[in-house]
Amino acid sequence: MPEKEKVTGSGISRRQFIKGAGIVIGGTAVGTSVLLSACGGGETTTVTKTNTTTATATQTVTTTAGGSTQTVTTTAAGTTAYVCPYDNQQFSTLAALQAHLEAEHLGTGAAEGTVVLNVNGKARIVQVEPEWSLAFVLREKLGLTGTKVGCDRGECGTCTVLVDGVTMYACMMFANECEGMAITTIEGLASGATLHPVQQAFFDNATYQCGYCTPGNIMSAVALLSKNPNPTRSEVKEALAGNLCYCIDYTRIENTILAAAGGS
Ligand code: FES
Ligand code: FES
């Protein structure tokens, strides 16, 4: 399935709104989209525009957000106000505006083409096309290349991730289906420099050759051990039945997972 990035022309996206967020500083309106990053977005874009007005006790400033004109009123000369591009509410600090955006706008109904994905415990705002798979978005839009793509048609298991704790083929899910679900990739297992016990067991036992299937194997093993900390060999075989390896002996993989079970 071709997954080429396209620009949609319909509507004003949440990203565009954020890019156009007007920030009124002492009678000067400055727009910036660094908010996107601060709110957990995967990309940082900076757009600056300046409307200079004369500071008075009460004044009206016209600024532009997402291609539409907004008029905001400041109450005192020299006052700094951070303006929500959705509803024009003003906040005295950037942190307050960020909290408002997250509480009132970013976590609810995505603007057309934009989804908020919960990946490894972080909200990631991504503009997606309807046909983009979760695997494509993880790798190409969020830079999480630990998730591999082998067959891209639900046969090999190299793209296995956890969605709400359940193993799923990321190549077979649309990214825009995954909003509101907890997605865990191989990058989300380690705690700092400390590997997850299953990762450590694969490393200690050199349970890989080319390593391409390894992230998928590990994700399936993690899902198994989280529900069944002491599986039998046949339970390990069943849990890993959807993960193909073209290089090494499956018995080695099973032994490693049983060793991880003993140590985790
Ligand atoms: S790449 Fe997803 S199952 Fe093969
Ligand atoms: S180690 Fe190469 S495919 Fe499994």
Side-chain angles (χ1 to χ4, degrees):
M1 174 192 314
E3 290 171 307
K4 129 177 114 61
E5 189 165 8
K6 291 184 280 186
V7 177
T8 52
S10 55
I12 298 169
S13 72
R14 176 180 306 161
R15 181 183 300 277
Q16 287 172 310
F17 266 119
I18 294 171
K19 279 183 180 175
I23 298 178
V24 182
I25 303 174
T28 298
V30 179
T32 178
S33 69
V34 292
L35 299 181
L36 182 62
S37 177
C39 292
E43 300 169 19
T44 301
T45 310
T46 302
V47 177
T48 304
K49 55 179 180 267
T50 304
N51 299 332
T52 303
T53 63
T54 303
T56 58
T58 300
Q59 63 183 341
T60 298
V61 174
T62 299
T63 184
T64 302
S68 63
T69 300
Q70 301 177 23
T71 301
V72 294
T73 302
T74 52
T75 54
T79 299
T80 297
Y82 297 88
V83 183
C84 173
Y86 292 93
D87 58 20
N88 278 348
Q89 283 193 60
Q90 295 185 27
F91 300 87
S92 59
T93 66
L94 181 58
L97 172 57
Q98 288 169 348
H100 168 76
L101 284 169
E102 292 197 351
E104 301 297 330
H105 304 294
L106 300 185
T108 58
E112 185 174 357
T114 304
V115 296
V116 183
L117 297 178
N118 177 354
V119 183
N120 298 329
K122 286 180 64 177
R124 307 296 298 268
I125 305 167
V126 198
Q127 191 138 24
V128 302
E129 293 296 324
E131 75 276 17
W132 286 357
S133 70
L134 176 60
F136 175 80
V137 169
L138 289 173
R139 289 178 54 82
E140 306 299 332
K141 298 300 167 187
L142 300 180
L144 298 171
T145 54
T147 299
K148 307 303 183 195
V149 174
C151 66
D152 207 14
R153 58 184 183 189
E155 292 180 357
C156 71
T158 59
C159 63
T160 302
V161 297
L162 304 186
V163 177
D164 286 343
V166 177
T167 52
M168 300 296 291
Y169 289 163
C171 74
M172 297 301 289
M173 295 193 77
F174 291 122
N176 60 13
E177 290 179 314
C178 299
E179 195 163 36
M181 301 174 179
I183 300 160
T184 306
T185 70
I186 190 80
E187 289 91 345
L189 296 185
S191 176
T194 304
L195 294 176
H196 185 283
V198 175
Q199 291 176 303
Q200 190 65 55
F202 271 71
F203 179 76
D204 291 344
N205 295 284
T207 309
Y208 43 79
Q209 187 167 314
C210 78
Y212 206 72
C213 69
T214 308
N217 287 337
I218 290 173
M219 298 311 293
S220 291
V222 167
L224 169 66
L225 298 186
S226 68
K227 294 184 177 67
N228 180 1
N230 294 295
T232 63
R233 183 174 295 273
S234 69
E235 288 170 333
V236 172
K237 283 180 195 267
E238 185 178 346
L240 273 285
N243 295 85
L244 303 183
C245 175
Y246 296 92
C247 298
I248 62 174
D249 177 6
Y250 284 97
T251 307
R252 188 184 190 92
I253 298 173
E254 292 158 19
N255 289 342
T256 294
I257 294 169
L258 290 169
S264 60

